[in-house]
Amino acid sequence: MESGFRAVGADSGTVSEVPTQLYHIRKAAGTKKPISHVVVPKAASLNTGDAFVLTTTSTIYTWYGEECSPFEKNKAVEIATALNAARYGHGEFIVDVGDDVPEFWEALGGGSIADVLPAESVTDVKEMPPSMFILQDEDSQLKVISVDVDKKNLDPTGVCMVDVGTDIIVWIGTDATSREQSQAMASVASYLKSQNREKNTRVARILQGQERRARKVWKKAFP
């Protein structure tokens, strides 16, 4: 599901480049309990039967399909509120954004309400592919940078985090600073909490050179 990394740290010592993410909230099959998935942030990912949360660097939106249930709306607000809290109130928080707000559609890469799919046409949720972040200590500030999922982006001087859905990989470079290493797990905890994924996501801590010890999860990120 991202990124939920803090945009501004509580002590103003952490700065993150937060990518645009879209959370799709829908009822689990056979129940009224809604679950969330991170999906491709585009207008065609929306549908009239579910609720959605869109996050950008500056704004968090909730958007509701006209047929979505109260349970899905409540879950969307819960997720959006957690994401907003993780930013310590920095940025704008818009609940039930109107269909005529151009900034919302621009954040989705363009499009309009005409691109929203009818509820009955959505059978499976297409989740986002793995996402990758580098945590680096620069000028006494911890900076989280979104990068392409590629082994070439593994930086021995920093810490890498890869989200593969069911697991989070925390890869520790051999030359990572002690500050980067100590803050890595705290950053992951904040990330998972913002997405309500603390209870069902495994975290694998892997030291550079010891990737074979976690071959199964490693292949999910780098097949």
Side-chain angles (χ1 to χ4, degrees):
M1 321 179 45
E2 168 149 20
S3 156
F5 290 115
R6 291 177 295 180
V8 180
D11 59 358
S12 298
T14 301
V15 178
S16 300
E17 295 181 4
V18 183
T20 297
Q21 287 196 309
L22 182 64
Y23 298 78
H24 181 171
I25 297 95
R26 67 183 323 204
K27 290 184 291 185
T31 74
K32 292 183 178 180
K33 182 180 179 181
I35 57 177
S36 66
H37 305 268
V38 177
V39 297
V40 178
K42 61 180 182 180
S45 291
L46 304 176
N47 74 78
T48 60
D50 299 322
F52 296 81
V53 176
L54 177 67
T55 69
T56 71
T57 299
S58 60
T59 310
I60 297 172
Y61 304 91
T62 65
W63 183 92
Y64 309 134
E66 61 186 42
E67 301 171 50
C68 80
S69 73
F71 299 100
E72 291 163 338
K73 289 183 180 180
N74 290 340
K75 186 65 174 180
V77 171
E78 178 185 327
I79 291 172
T81 300
L83 289 167
N84 188 54
R87 298 183 181 194
Y88 298 93
H90 294 269
E92 196 170 3
F93 182 14
I94 300 176
V95 177
D96 196 10
V97 62
D99 295 335
D100 58 349
V101 177
E103 292 82 5
F104 175 75
W105 301 105
E106 288 169 7
L108 290 171
S112 68
I113 190 65
D115 297 297
V116 175
L117 299 176
E120 59 271 17
S121 69
V122 180
T123 54
D124 295 311
V125 175
K126 295 181 179 179
E127 295 195 47
M128 281 286 287
S131 53
M132 182 171 172
F133 306 88
I134 300 295
L135 178 63
Q136 292 181 326
D137 193 351
E138 297 181 3
D139 300 324
S140 299
Q141 285 190 327
L142 286 174
K143 192 171 185 180
V144 180
I145 305 169
S146 177
V147 297
D148 292 334
V149 182
D150 193 316
K151 285 184 179 180
K152 295 178 181 178
N153 288 325
L154 293 171
D155 183 358
T157 66
V159 174
C160 171
M161 289 173 276
V162 186
D163 185 351
V164 295
T166 55
D167 301 83
I168 298 285
I169 296 170
V170 180
W171 182 87
I172 310 294
T174 53
D175 297 323
T177 67
S178 57
R179 177 175 163 84
E180 289 166 344
Q181 294 185 48
S182 64
Q183 289 296 313
M185 299 308 292
S187 295
V188 170
S190 174
Y191 176 71
L192 293 176
K193 183 177 181 180
S194 72
Q195 300 182 22
N196 296 307
R197 293 171 55 196
E198 310 102 301
K199 296 181 180 179
N200 57 4
T201 306
R202 297 179 294 268
V203 178
R205 184 176 183 274
I206 303 174
L207 300 178
Q208 182 178 357
Q210 298 182 9
E211 293 82 4
R212 289 179 60 83
R213 294 187 178 184
R215 287 190 296 269
K216 187 174 181 180
V217 66
W218 189 253
K219 286 184 177 180
K220 290 183 180 180
F222 307 107

